[in-house]
Amino acid sequence: MAAFFLLLSLVPVVLVLGIFALTRRSKGCRNLPPGSLGWPIVGETLEFLSGKPEKFVFDRMNKYSPEVFKTKILGEETAVICGPSGHKFLFSNEQKLFTAFRPHSMQKIFRPHRAGAQISRAAEAQISRAAEAKILKSPGFLKPEALVRYLGKMDSITQQHLQTHWEGKDTVNAFPLTKTLTLTLACRFFLGADDPQRIARLVTRFDDITLGMHSIPLNFPGTIFHKANKAAVAIRRELRKIIQEKKAAMATGPPMQDILSHMIVATDPSGKYKPEAEIADNIMGLLVAGYSTVATTMTFFMKYVGERPDIYDKILAEQLEVSASKKSGEVLDWDEIQKMKYSWNVIYEVMRLTPPLQGTFREALTDFTYAGYNIPKGWKIYWTVSTTNKKPEFFGEAERFEPSRYDDANAFPPFTFVPFGGGPRMCPGKEYARLAILTFVHNVVKRFKWELVLPHEQIIGDMMPAPQKGLPIRLQPH
């Protein structure tokens, strides 16, 4: 009992020392942005995750500064740079002032074999970025000319998915079905695999990972991070099986045109082939990127268009015009995708009102000054599209779903709408996402009209939004 009271008496001392250390550290660099670093150790992480990142940012922009404020989230002292000037500053200084940064939860989930290595986080980010750039850019997998070859397969997979899971149903839950579709497309594109049973096993695992990517990395049963780690282990095990199957097929068959096949035969700068564990980590990251955000955009397309029959009618008219010159059984081609201008404006408006990813992180490579404040080297920079998307000074009737606002490319100032980022770090999968989403739009509106079963369904999630009940919709076949 005496020991218990001794420990209890030490708690205030520890807190005071923590606050003193935090204050001393922050005073080491003068003229920091306004804001609060929150509690010792945890900072403001709980408010960031539990109160939704968008609200967290807006509240502090109003309280401290609309340009930049400081905080401490996910274990890191962070400057949140806001508004169109902030977007421009970040995009213009990639690799000069900033490098990519993954929160500790993502580092541990995606690269556990490096977790104990003696390597700086900046070096880790640069290695990761260089590896991904080499994978995606050297053979041009995500360039339009390469994606054109995949478009027909994407169309046929989407048609088959709708026939299997949607047709003949009075109601469906759109969110889980779009996740199944996007993972099927990603597995076919990245892995060259399309086993439905294998994909079904992976869907829930990927859901667990997306929830755990921005979480407090406490690895014990019952935590979101623990569940994400278990999912990553299971996915990594499945991917290694696929890698071994792919190697065997490549040894006896013709060359294969998918990203996994390229990764297997690609070498590192020393001329060695990459270990299977590293290939599995890289491909898992690519699959996550090609899965959750695309599925979220498709789902909220169904939500917003289900609320607006007038917009549905315009999309249908455009898609029927695209189909008018096609023969029965012909799949979509590149020129037809380019004709879907109104449909893509609708998707833009979906992403403006409900960004599929709230934000990303960078790390400061050097001390720098922004908006009159000093940002120290090593601090993290949080970037989010939400600081401009709903501002009435940029978007008239900002809360209204209005695709026609994109008819004029100069209708709003530069750097106010940047759903795919910008500069050297612009999303490399933009064209892939555009093809996958528009192929889905083309096929779903030609088959069905729909209405929302739960018009006021709650939207949950922190970094990635999700309808609480999976967005049930009532289908009306044409």
Side-chain angles (χ1 to χ4, degrees), residues 87-121:
H87 296 337
K88 182 179 180 180
F89 182 76
L90 281 165
F91 302 157
S92 303
N93 289 286
E94 294 280 10
Q95 313 318 317
K96 298 181 226 174
L97 301 180
F98 315 112
T99 188
F101 174 77
R102 288 189 172 116
H104 300 293
S105 51
M106 291 179 69
Q107 293 178 33
K108 293 174 185 295
I109 289 169
F110 287 103
R111 297 182 184 272
H113 58 285
R114 290 187 184 171
Q118 297 301 310
I119 183 170
S120 73
R121 289 193 293 267

Side-chain angles (χ1 to χ4, degrees), residues 444-463:
V444 79
V445 299
K446 288 200 310 174
R447 283 173 169 79
F448 309 105
K449 194 167 187 176
W450 62 91
E451 62 183 12
L452 305 184
V453 174
L454 303 171
H456 304 292
E457 182 177 2
Q458 184 180 355
I459 305 304
I460 59 173
D462 38 62
M463 295 296 284

Side-chain angles (χ1 to χ4, degrees), residues 178-446:
T178 58
K179 288 189 288 189
T180 299
L181 171 60
T182 53
L183 188 57
T184 302
L185 292 171
C187 284
R188 184 68 181 81
F189 182 68
F190 293 114
L191 306 179
D194 51 12
D195 179 352
Q197 293 182 339
R198 178 171 260 162
I199 290 165
R201 289 197 301 270
L202 291 174
V203 167
T204 55
R205 301 292 192 183
F206 275 102
D207 285 346
D208 290 341
I209 283 182
T210 55
L211 286 173
M213 287 194 305
H214 299 94
S215 64
I216 300 172
L218 299 176
N219 195 17
F220 54 83
T223 65
I224 293 173
F225 181 74
H226 179 76
K227 198 171 182 180
N229 251 339
K230 284 183 63 178
V233 169
I235 291 173
R236 202 172 281 110
R237 187 185 309 122
E238 192 72 32
L239 289 174
R240 293 188 74 164
K241 288 181 187 175
I242 294 172
I243 290 167
Q244 290 159 8
E245 293 167 9
K246 180 74 68 175
K247 284 181 174 179
M250 291 168 67
T252 58
M256 299 183 182
Q257 299 299 315
D258 57 73
I259 291 178
L260 178 58
S261 299
H262 171 74
M263 291 171 70
I264 289 171
V265 300
T267 58
D268 64 22
S270 68
K272 296 179 181 178
Y273 289 111
K274 290 183 175 61
E276 288 183 1
E278 189 172 339
I279 295 173
D281 285 345
N282 285 333
I283 205 74
M284 183 165 66
L286 293 174
L287 286 170
V288 169
Y291 162 68
S292 55
T293 55
V294 175
T296 299
T297 302
M298 289 178 179
T299 298
F300 282 92
F301 165 82
M302 300 299 291
K303 170 180 165 55
Y304 288 120
V305 175
E307 295 170 339
R308 292 286 300 275
D310 57 321
I311 291 175
Y312 170 88
D313 290 341
K314 291 179 182 178
I315 299 170
L316 178 61
E318 181 176 77
Q319 297 300 337
L320 290 177
E321 187 176 336
V322 167
S323 296
S325 60
K326 298 180 71 65
K327 296 178 182 177
S328 177
E330 280 187 337
V331 293
L332 286 169
D333 62 35
W334 183 258
D335 290 338
E336 289 161 347
I337 291 288
Q338 308 315 308
K339 295 176 183 177
M340 300 181 189
K341 294 186 179 352
Y342 182 77
S343 299
W344 188 240
N345 285 349
V346 172
I347 298 302
Y348 267 157
E349 191 70 339
V350 170
M351 292 189 289
R352 183 184 71 83
L353 285 176
T354 307
L357 179 65
Q358 281 294 324
T360 60
F361 290 86
R362 305 286 191 272
E363 181 170 344
L365 292 170
T366 184
D367 295 348
F368 67 90
T369 301
Y370 178 73
Y373 297 105
N374 298 329
I375 313 295
K377 177 182 177 179
W379 270 44
K380 304 306 171 288
I381 313 301
Y382 179 65
W383 171 79
T384 172
V385 298
S386 297
T387 62
T388 55
N389 276 8
K390 296 180 184 176
K391 288 287 187 179
E393 58 264 41
F394 306 136
F395 300 95
E397 295 184 89
E399 296 296 330
R400 178 175 169 79
F401 190 85
E402 189 47 71
S404 64
R405 69 175 80 244
Y406 305 97
D407 291 344
D408 179 4
N410 300 313
F412 31 86
F415 300 102
T416 54
F417 183 63
V418 285
F420 295 99
R425 292 287 300 174
M426 176 177 278
C427 176
K430 175 184 175 181
E431 282 301 320
Y432 171 85
R434 189 171 77 97
L435 292 187
I437 293 165
L438 287 177
T439 300
F440 171 73
V441 169
H442 174 76
N443 284 287
V444 79
V445 299
K446 288 200 310 174

